[in-house]
């Protein structure tokens, strides 16, 4: 077994375990962190087949932007695990059905494509896949790239809007009210007479 093949199987094992932890994690933050590991491992697998542009896009866009945004939203929303489990049994059959359909579709496509894989076309030594993909993206699919950027912008605005929602159990700092505060509103000075402790007499000491 070559080193590249062994590295591929190792990355595939990490990818499957991390993806399984994404859907079985009990805490949202744990699921997001395993999703980051999943995309990072997939990026390394892209590097193995010399698809550097796709690997960098996966790292920069998904790991560096989208998933960090997901993690920010999850931590800011402070979602409770008890609330996430409510209604899970109601939607479990539908979720299993949709998941089963997706697995069957992927299996059919992979089985069909597995037997029709022919020899790879020869690639020139000076071939640059990053240049080729960039040329196709920003000439033939420039509109699709712009729509994808707009969708990411909408997701960022939605994440910021979610953090501004009103919550009764959350204390928010209002700088304008802090600036207008006066010392008289916060501190009250009370004048009290000094109390001097008198020494106990011998008779009082005997009674104690």
């Amino acid at each position: 077994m070559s080193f590249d093949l062994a590295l591929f199987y190792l990355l595939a094992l990490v990818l499957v375990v991390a993806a399984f932890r994404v859907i079985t994690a009990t805490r949202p933050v744990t699921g997001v962190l395993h999703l980051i590991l999943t995309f990072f491992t997939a990026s390394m697998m892209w590097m193995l087949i010399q698809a550097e542009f796709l690997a960098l896009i996966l790292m920069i866009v998904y790991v560096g932007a989208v998933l960090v945004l997901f993690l920010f939203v999850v931590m800011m929303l402070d979602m409770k695990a008890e609330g996430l489990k409510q209604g899970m049994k109601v939607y479990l059959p539908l979720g299993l059905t949709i998941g089963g359909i997706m697995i069957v579709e992927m299996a059919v496509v992979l089985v069909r494509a597995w037997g029709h894989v022919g020899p790879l076309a020869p690639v020139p030594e000076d071939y640059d896949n990053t240049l080729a993909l960039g040329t196709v993206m920003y000439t033939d699919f420039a509109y699709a790239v712009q729509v994808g950027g707009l969708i990411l912008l909408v997701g960022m605005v939605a994440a910021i809007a979610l953090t501004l929602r009103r919550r009764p159990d959350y204390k928010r700092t209002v700088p304008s009210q802090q600036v207008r505060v006066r010392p008289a509103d916060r501190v009250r000075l009370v004048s009290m007479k000094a109390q001097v402790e008198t020494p106990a007499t011998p008779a009082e000491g005997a009674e104690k």
Side-chain angles (χ1 to χ4, degrees):
M1 181 182 294
S2 62
F3 176 76
D4 292 341
L5 186 59
L7 183 58
F8 170 79
Y9 282 120
L10 178 60
L11 292 175
L13 177 62
V14 175
L15 180 64
V16 171
V17 173
F20 181 76
R21 284 292 297 154
V22 171
I23 61 177
T24 58
T26 57
R27 297 181 177 276
V29 177
T30 304
V32 173
L33 291 177
H34 280 92
L35 189 59
I36 293 175
L37 178 61
T38 302
F39 282 148
F40 182 82
T41 307
S43 176
M44 296 301 101
M45 296 179 73
W46 281 112
M47 292 292 292
L48 283 180
I49 60 175
Q50 298 180 355
E52 296 87 0
F53 180 78
L54 296 178
L56 292 176
I57 288 296
L58 190 61
M59 286 287 296
I60 297 173
V61 176
Y62 285 92
V63 179
V66 177
L67 285 182
V68 174
L69 182 64
F70 287 170
L71 185 61
F72 170 76
V73 172
V74 168
M75 295 180 67
M76 289 298 296
L77 292 181
D78 191 20
M79 293 185 295
K80 305 296 182 182
E82 294 77 8
L84 294 177
K85 294 180 180 179
Q86 294 179 358
M88 181 178 179
K89 294 182 180 180
V90 178
Y91 298 102
L92 183 60
L94 178 60
L96 292 177
T97 303
I98 295 177
I101 294 174
M102 294 172 61
I103 293 175
V104 171
E105 290 177 352
M106 288 189 295
V108 171
V109 172
L110 290 176
V111 170
R112 184 178 182 278
W114 186 266
H116 295 79
V117 177
L120 298 177
V123 179
E125 295 183 357
D126 58 346
Y127 178 76
D128 191 350
N129 56 2
T130 304
L131 177 61
L133 286 173
T135 303
V136 173
M137 287 178 59
Y138 294 102
T139 53
D140 300 336
F141 300 97
Y143 179 73
V145 173
Q146 293 178 0
V147 171
L150 182 62
I151 293 175
L152 292 177
L153 178 61
V154 172
M156 183 181 300
V157 173
I160 297 174
L162 287 175
T163 60
L164 299 177
R165 65 193 180 107
R166 297 291 182 180
R167 293 177 50 183
D169 59 339
Y170 181 75
K171 294 182 179 180
R172 185 181 301 273
T173 301
V174 183
S176 59
Q177 295 180 1
Q178 292 179 337
V179 172
R180 292 197 303 266
V181 72
R182 297 179 303 173
D185 298 334
R186 297 294 185 181
V187 180
R188 186 179 62 174
L189 301 179
V190 179
S191 178
M192 299 179 59
K193 295 182 180 180
Q195 296 181 359
V196 180
E197 184 177 357
T198 57
T201 59
E204 293 178 354
E207 292 178 358
K208 293 181 179 180

